[in-house]
Amino acid sequence: MAVDINTYHLIQQALQPTHTTLVAVSKTKPIEDILTLYRLGQRDFGENYVQELMEKQPQLPTDIRWHFIGHLQKNKVKYIAPFVHLIHSVDSLTLLAEINKHAQKNNRKIDCLLEVFIANETTKFGLNDEELFEIMSVINDNADYQYIQIRGLMGMASFTNDEKQIQKEFQYLHQLYETCQIQFPYFTQFNILSMGMSSDYRLAIANGSNMVRIGSLLFGARS
Ligand SMILES: *Cc1c(COP(=O)(O)O)cnc(C)c1O
């Protein structure tokens, strides 16, 4: 299935009033599909797998902003550190330390989101609120982490049709996000709340998201 250009414009219209950033999730999709959206002006693309991102990145324009949104293993950080724009899925301090190390090696600062577990499922990754505040405190007090920048939070709602449940989870994450902003004023760039996918992005925007990650709605279903 090809890229749905009509849907792309509809999504952009829906995001415009709140200045929400669209990350086009291109995992498993070919270079040609990415270029189709690129030619329409899309610059933010998201990938889940390091290997796939490594293969695609050199074949595509250098002004694409690559978002890493999948579970990231420590031993793979070095591959994406030279060019990644934003890592959405940081779920431990050891991973953050590894990103910091490779950012320094590449003489750059890497923007990161902390992934929070908000679903009522056991299959999704992420921190609980206690672990989140713990990491925020450590970074807050430690000058060694000068090569990473915590830009905000990311979360994935439950895989369910129950809109009330999804709304509850988004509201919870939004609340955590605002609490962090108040309790950790040191993080002056803490201003990204990444939540919402193909099935729930409207609900996410209505509940405070300012970055959505949309794949199948744009590129068609993944096999
Ligand atoms: C695959 C994926 C998406 C996009 O999912 P769609 O339902 O296809 O929009 C968003 N976020 C993460 C973390 C993903 O893995």
Side-chain angles (χ1 to χ4, degrees), residues 80-198:
I80 62 171
F83 65 87
V84 70
H85 174 69
L86 177 64
I87 300 176
H88 289 229
S89 43
V90 176
D91 60 358
S92 74
L93 195 56
T94 49
L95 178 58
L96 212 44
E98 192 71 8
I99 296 168
N100 188 61
K101 185 175 104 188
H102 288 285
Q104 179 175 17
K105 276 187 184 166
N106 285 279
N107 200 21
R108 64 184 295 237
K109 207 167 195 158
I110 296 181
D111 283 353
C112 297
L113 304 179
L114 296 174
E115 180 173 0
V116 179
F117 177 84
I118 56 171
N120 64 354
E121 295 161 18
T122 51
T123 51
K124 294 198 167 86
F125 295 101
L127 305 158
N128 63 33
D129 50 358
E130 213 173 294
E131 294 164 332
L132 168 66
F133 294 133
E134 170 66 19
I135 291 182
M136 294 287 286
S137 305
V138 171
I139 306 295
N140 199 23
D141 297 333
N142 194 334
D144 291 344
Y145 288 91
Q146 58 180 299
Y147 300 98
I148 49 118
Q149 178 133 265
I150 307 290
R151 296 295 312 274
L153 303 181
M154 184 273 243
M156 283 171 92
S158 296
F159 185 70
T160 172
N161 289 323
D162 183 352
E163 288 214 350
K164 284 225 168 65
Q165 174 67 26
I166 296 172
Q167 173 144 2
K168 222 174 63 185
E169 293 168 3
F170 284 158
Q171 283 171 347
Y172 172 71
L173 188 59
H174 185 225
Q175 207 178 338
L176 269 182
Y177 170 72
E178 292 194 320
T179 302
C180 285
Q181 285 183 324
I182 292 163
Q183 291 193 356
F184 299 96
Y186 164 82
F187 297 97
T188 54
Q189 305 292 310
F190 192 97
N191 56 17
I192 299 177
L193 181 56
S194 169
M195 61 181 194
M197 308 177 17
S198 289

Side-chain angles (χ1 to χ4, degrees), residues 25 27 48 69 154 156 197-198 213-216 222:
V25 177
K27 61 186 179 202
N48 274 54
I69 64 173
M154 184 273 243
M156 283 171 92
M197 308 177 17
S198 289
R213 310 173 309 270
I214 298 182
S216 46
R222 290 177 296 272

